[in-house]
Amino acid sequence: MTRNTRILMSVIYWAFIVYLFVPLALMVTMGFKDSKFIGFPIRSWTLDWYATVIQDTEVLSVFGYSMTIAIATTILSLIIGTWVAVFLGPNQFRGKAIIFALACLPAVIPGIISAIALRIFARLIDIEPGMFAIILGHTVHNVPFVALVVMARLSTQPKSHIEAARDLGADSIVAFFRVTLPYLKPALIGAGIFCMLLSFDDFVRAFFLGGYQPTLPVLIFAKLRSGMSPEINAISTIVLIMTAILGLWAERSMRRLNKGS
Amino acid sequence: MTFWGALMRNGVYQSVSTTLFKSQRRQFWILASVPLFWIFFANLGPILEMFWIGFLDSYPPKVGHEPQFTLANWAAFFQDRVFIIPFFRTLAFSFIFTAITLLITYPVAYFLAKHVSRKNQLLFLLLLLIPFWVGEIVRTYAIMILLGNNGAVNLALKSLGLIDRPIPFMYTGFSLGVGIIYLTALYMLLPLYSALEKLPDNYLEAAADLGAGAWTRFRRITLPLSREGIASGCTLVFLISTGYYATPVLLGGPRSTVFAETIAGFFHVAGDQWPMGAAFSSIMLIATLGVTGLFLKLMGRDGKGMMR
């Protein structure tokens, strides 16, 4: 590799980083603008928009609603996803490739199609649009991610772990809870936080599966359609900071996973 | 400790446990029960149901009217340019966005995998990851602020004296492209990075020793050996970018309506447009999976391990 291409590539990398961060930085900055109008230049600064958000009971209740959905989704996704991984990981059987592909399907189906299909399905199994429908939709979407992360972790577990537990008299259930589950812990923390982010940030499923009560992304979308305002920036910035903290935490526990805790 | 010990010694638990795990076969089916139920009920069920509704003349069922089987919903798609144009526009957009994403992220992934020291790779990777944890709506909004008439790009151009009036970036295919690529680039970057990271340095050194120039090394070694990453990345970006709804609504304009908006229209209008929306969603699903299937075949591998 010549010197020039090396320099060129590092320039492209940093330019790409700028492309990723500048829009977000602008969005955060605009939340401190002392004017109703979104746009540059910014002449005076204020914290009022944050005060508005914190006192806005609608935003707070929507925040709680989204959080409830995210937590419920995460718990369900972890249970089902781990079960799928424990089943698909070590067992060999005919048709496994097809079952595996079907298990991953919701992760790759275009969002709008998945949302429409789930909306119709919720009607079929008689779930009203609202919290339960959204939880179902998010869980369907998140299970493949949990399953893949847990399967990756499971594949590194030495067989001797389980055998030792069995020799010491544990049956399958006890061996799973006492040996396998602790081994999976970092993967589960990482996958769980990832699920929370996916659920909390999801728009398209929440939009089609939701009832009158909006989730946070749906509320931001509705506000945006009626006009941009620095209040939206303040809400988005709060979400951004929370997301970054959760994401970094997930990343840390996944890292420990690679090192082999 | 004591809990599990007590549980193991508990008579009721012991008999339940022995009945459950009497044979390998029974144990397999107990383990398989929830996953198989979930995969067929929650993953496959809604898709099949959607296909089925596409063949009905009315849904949700109205009182006093049995839904009849019909092909009209599918036929309607082929009869109206209002539907066909957004459909092909969506496929074309996704195709172009995927290609651009590949061109942008390939050097980024290569730089990361080959030129950044092992120790720093995680840090550099993390820098790329952080913006992608932020949700679709927030990131779309950020692009609106960047490209608006009073946005940062126009302000910068104006203060440099390059333009007098703001350039209308917003509500065009361009703004939509910037937004979609912003949302999906990571799905290209990660597979490329993991493919390139596995590429042994000594292959390239050996080629250089044998007199291959930079371009030959890239074409004969790097590109073929990162093919799997390219295939996975393009598949993911293509599929995901066809599925965005909010981003085209917020960033696109009347001349860049995508099929997701067409489909959504059938569900927002109160009444029984559901069957047509279902049929159209099915057409889109078949088309997108068909395109990616063909693509993966051309790339010389099947869909297995797409997520890896």
Side-chain angles (χ1 to χ4, degrees), chain B residues 8-253:
Chain B
M8 289 296 289
R9 259 175 263 116
N10 181 297
V12 181
Y13 176 78
Q14 271 175 9
S15 59
V16 169
S17 168
T18 21
T19 344
L20 282 179
F21 303 118
K22 209 155 75 184
S23 66
Q24 281 282 315
R25 208 184 152 77
R26 187 177 285 186
Q27 194 171 339
F28 174 81
W29 283 111
I30 288 169
L31 197 58
S33 59
V34 168
L36 288 183
F37 171 76
W38 182 258
I39 286 163
F40 286 106
F41 168 80
N43 291 7
L44 203 54
I47 302 294
L48 294 179
E49 164 82 359
M50 181 179 76
F51 271 87
W52 169 238
I53 297 297
F55 287 106
L56 298 180
D57 65 347
S58 77
Y59 194 88
K62 275 181 288 191
V63 185
H65 176 80
E66 268 306 295
Q68 300 293 314
F69 181 86
T70 176
L71 288 171
N73 302 319
W74 302 74
F77 172 74
F78 298 97
Q79 283 158 359
D80 202 332
R81 287 161 53 101
V82 177
F83 304 139
I84 295 180
I85 290 175
F87 176 77
F88 283 106
R89 186 187 282 139
T90 303
L91 293 185
F93 273 0
S94 292
F95 184 80
I96 296 167
F97 297 161
T98 308
I100 296 174
T101 310
L102 177 64
L103 289 178
I104 295 174
T105 51
Y106 200 97
V108 176
Y110 191 93
F111 175 76
L112 193 62
K114 289 289 158 214
H115 294 319
V116 178
S117 67
R118 285 267 148 206
K119 211 176 67 198
N120 287 334
Q121 268 186 19
L122 276 169
L123 187 71
F124 276 59
L125 192 62
L126 206 60
L127 215 51
L128 292 168
L129 280 176
I130 290 168
F132 288 97
W133 293 327
V134 183
E136 177 189 350
I137 297 290
V138 172
R139 271 191 288 161
T140 303
Y141 182 41
I143 294 291
M144 290 167 78
I145 292 172
L146 181 75
L147 294 180
N149 280 349
N150 295 316
V153 174
N154 272 320
L155 177 82
L157 290 176
K158 214 187 286 180
S159 61
L160 286 173
L162 293 173
I163 51 167
D164 301 327
R165 261 176 297 166
I167 302 172
F169 293 115
M170 278 297 291
Y171 314 118
T172 60
F174 174 77
S175 56
L176 182 57
V178 173
I180 298 272
I181 293 170
Y182 194 42
L183 291 171
T184 55
L186 185 76
Y187 299 107
M188 186 72 85
L189 234 163
L190 287 183
L192 284 180
Y193 168 72
S194 73
L196 287 167
E197 189 216 27
K198 275 185 243 140
L199 180 81
D201 283 333
N202 51 18
Y203 284 23
L204 296 169
E205 283 156 19
D209 288 347
L210 293 167
W215 169 244
T216 315
R217 284 192 307 248
F218 174 71
R219 200 170 53 87
R220 299 290 295 274
I221 299 173
T222 313
L223 202 56
L225 286 176
S226 59
R227 201 177 57 181
E228 197 152 304
I230 297 174
S232 317
C234 290
T235 306
L236 285 174
V237 170
F238 182 81
L239 284 173
I240 292 170
S241 64
T242 55
Y244 283 115
Y245 169 66
T247 308
V249 169
L250 294 172
L251 291 179

Side-chain angles (χ1 to χ4, degrees), chain A:
Chain A
M1 196 54 60
T2 59
R3 228 187 95 111
N4 284 340
T5 43
R6 184 173 304 204
I7 292 168
L8 181 69
M9 269 196 285
S10 87
V11 169
I12 295 176
Y13 173 86
W14 289 108
F16 190 68
I17 293 286
V18 168
Y19 170 57
L20 293 182
F21 278 91
V22 162
L24 292 176
L26 293 174
M27 197 216 46
V28 172
T29 315
M30 202 60 87
F32 299 102
K33 185 183 178 184
D34 191 8
S35 158
K36 257 186 169 331
F37 298 102
I38 291 289
F40 293 95
I42 299 175
R43 295 216 165 75
S44 61
W45 305 81
T46 178
L47 278 171
D48 286 356
W49 297 109
Y50 285 86
T52 316
V53 170
I54 291 167
Q55 284 156 14
D56 189 334
T57 46
E58 191 197 5
V59 170
L60 291 180
S61 87
V62 165
F63 193 89
Y65 183 67
S66 277
M67 212 59 193
T68 314
I69 290 173
I71 290 169
T73 301
T74 304
I75 294 168
L76 281 173
S77 305
L78 283 177
I79 294 171
I80 300 168
T82 306
W83 203 324
V84 169
V86 169
F87 167 58
L88 284 179
N91 286 301
Q92 297 302 328
F93 53 91
R94 222 173 341 138
K96 181 177 169 180
I98 295 171
I99 297 288
F100 180 73
L102 284 177
C104 295
L105 192 68
V108 292
I109 281 193
I112 179 81
I113 298 175
S114 157
I116 296 297
L118 286 163
R119 175 69 192 90
I120 298 172
F121 190 65
R123 175 71 180 67
L124 175 80
I125 57 174
D126 227 9
I127 300 181
E128 285 289 310
M131 194 202 274
F132 291 108
I134 300 176
I135 292 172
L136 173 73
H138 285 179
T139 307
V140 170
H141 182 236
N142 290 357
V143 162
F145 294 102
V146 177
L148 286 168
V149 172
V150 173
M151 270 170 84
R153 176 72 174 167
L154 262 185
S155 68
T156 65
Q157 186 189 24
K159 269 211 164 70
S160 54
H161 277 188
I162 302 287
E163 281 159 12
R166 302 302 292 267
D167 288 348
L168 292 168
D171 64 13
S172 297
I173 296 176
V174 175
F176 174 77
F177 280 102
R178 296 279 285 151
V179 179
T180 308
L181 208 55
Y183 185 79
L184 292 178
K185 198 174 136 197
L188 291 175
I189 294 174
I193 295 166
F194 193 58
C195 279
M196 291 205 48
L197 290 181
L198 280 178
S199 169
F200 195 79
D201 287 337
D202 169 76
F203 170 78
V204 73
R205 290 170 190 81
F207 185 65
F208 284 99
L209 294 170
Y212 293 109
Q213 165 81 304
T215 64
L216 200 57
V218 175
L219 180 77
I220 298 176
F221 178 78
K223 280 181 183 286
L224 272 180
R225 296 215 71 179
S226 61
M228 289 153 80
S229 136
E231 193 199 346
I232 306 174
N233 294 65
I235 302 172
S236 303
T237 304
I238 296 170
V239 174
L240 183 90
I241 291 167
M242 273 187 35
T243 311
I245 292 172
L246 275 178
L248 283 170
W249 185 24
E251 194 56 34
R252 245 187 54 153
S253 67
M254 301 285 269
R255 184 94 38 80
R256 232 177 284 141
L257 183 157
N258 290 336
K259 283 182 193 151
S261 61

